[in-house]
Amino acid sequence: MPYVDLDGVGISYLDEGAGDPILLIHGFASNKTVNWQYPGWVDLLVKDGRRVIAIDNRGHGESEKLYDPADYGAPLMAEDAKNLLDYLNVEQADIMGYSMGARISAFLTLNHPGKVRRAIFSGLGYGMVTGVGDPEPIASALETERIQDISDRTGRAFRAFADQTGSDRLALAACMRSSRQKISEDDVSQFTRPVLVAVGTKDDIAGSPHKLAELIPHAEVLEIPGRDHMVAVGDKVHKQGVLAFLNNIEA
């Protein structure tokens, strides 16, 4: 995969297809391959006539690993995404993020609205505003030597996922301690681009997609039936809804 130094941090990315660009930003403890290639998103969007760019967020996948929480945070990671688009000479793109990637996408939309044509916030609803819980049990679980010693259910689930994806657990722990910045209702209400909020109906992490969409002037909701936070990514309803959104809204 291509690799570039962006403001002193090595970032891995993929760039496939041709047409209108879309930037994909993965969730916590995932990467561009697990979040977007394995579930078929890259092929789907390329076949739909798009240039698909997917980033490995700092600390994830093949990008550089950092171990200080100060080196993370959604606004800082949004700058990585913006800098990658600049590096690739992309003036404006559709943005799609899942979970933590949706939070990063929101800060990109807020801080660089000219870069964003349309935004898709998947796997994150009103939790974008309220937060999605205490990060410490997850960070501690990532630092625990043996998974058998982890008693917190959510921490254990994220630890198992990190092990499954072959992630650097200490880098993820640093990221977890600083990546969940809230974004205010006032900030969200400033989004002028069309937005799709896509959340599984059994997702108990994301928060209400309807409550988030009510704050955004040009937003709509896609409910992903029967899917929770961990399995909504590759759902066919999710894919069909995103394609309909991208193909039917005038920018």
Side-chain angles (χ1 to χ4, degrees):
M1 293 291 178
Y3 193 86
V4 61
D5 183 292
L6 299 176
D7 281 350
V9 177
I11 296 295
S12 176
Y13 66 96
L14 67 79
D15 185 358
E16 298 183 10
D20 289 337
I22 181 167
L23 174 64
L24 307 179
I25 306 178
H26 64 77
F28 178 75
S30 191
N31 54 60
K32 61 186 180 301
T33 301
V34 171
N35 212 141
W36 305 118
Q37 286 187 301
Y38 288 167
W41 279 104
V42 174
D43 286 344
L44 178 77
L45 293 166
V46 167
K47 288 176 182 177
D48 196 51
R50 301 180 186 280
R51 179 184 178 184
V52 180
I53 302 162
I55 188 173
D56 269 348
N57 293 311
R58 56 174 63 195
H60 294 71
E62 297 174 314
S63 287
E64 186 174 347
K65 309 304 184 292
L66 306 165
Y67 302 98
D68 184 343
D71 289 326
Y72 292 95
L76 190 56
M77 295 158 88
E79 292 304 304
D80 290 338
K82 185 261 185 187
N83 290 339
L84 178 60
L85 292 178
D86 287 345
Y87 171 75
L88 296 174
N89 296 313
V90 175
E91 292 186 6
Q92 190 178 64
D94 294 317
I95 310 295
M96 179 175 179
Y98 192 83
S99 192
M100 180 186 75
R103 190 177 298 279
I104 294 168
S105 299
F107 278 102
L108 177 60
T109 304
L110 176 67
N111 295 329
H112 302 284
K115 277 292 184 187
V116 179
R117 186 182 182 203
R118 293 166 293 203
I120 302 160
F121 303 146
S122 291
L124 190 61
Y126 194 67
M128 184 180 290
V129 174
T130 61
V132 291
D134 183 2
E136 192 56 36
I138 297 173
S140 295
L142 290 164
E143 292 171 333
T144 299
E145 189 66 28
R146 301 192 315 156
I147 193 171
Q148 304 96 295
D149 297 333
I150 300 168
S151 58
D152 182 83
R153 183 174 64 89
T154 302
R156 189 179 180 118
F158 274 98
R159 164 60 183 275
F161 184 58
D163 288 346
Q164 178 186 343
T165 56
S167 299
D168 183 320
R169 294 189 287 108
L170 298 183
L172 292 185
C175 177
M176 174 52 61
R177 289 191 169 103
S178 63
S179 64
R180 289 184 166 188
Q181 285 96 333
K182 300 172 186 177
I183 188 166
S184 72
E185 287 191 348
D186 287 342
D187 285 341
V188 168
S189 69
Q190 294 179 32
F191 295 164
T192 59
R193 299 300 187 182
V195 170
L196 179 68
V197 184
V199 173
T201 59
K202 292 187 176 181
D203 190 329
D204 58 1
I205 294 176
S208 169
H210 298 279
K211 196 169 181 180
L212 178 64
E214 287 170 2
L215 299 170
I216 303 172
H218 306 289
E220 59 186 271
V221 171
L222 173 65
E223 292 187 336
I224 308 169
R227 299 299 191 180
D228 64 21
H229 195 74
M230 294 299 186
V231 298
V233 175
D235 185 85
K236 66 180 180 180
V237 173
H238 192 188
K239 292 177 179 176
Q240 291 166 355
V242 166
L243 286 183
F245 173 76
L246 292 173
N247 289 320
N248 292 334
I249 293 181
E250 291 294 330

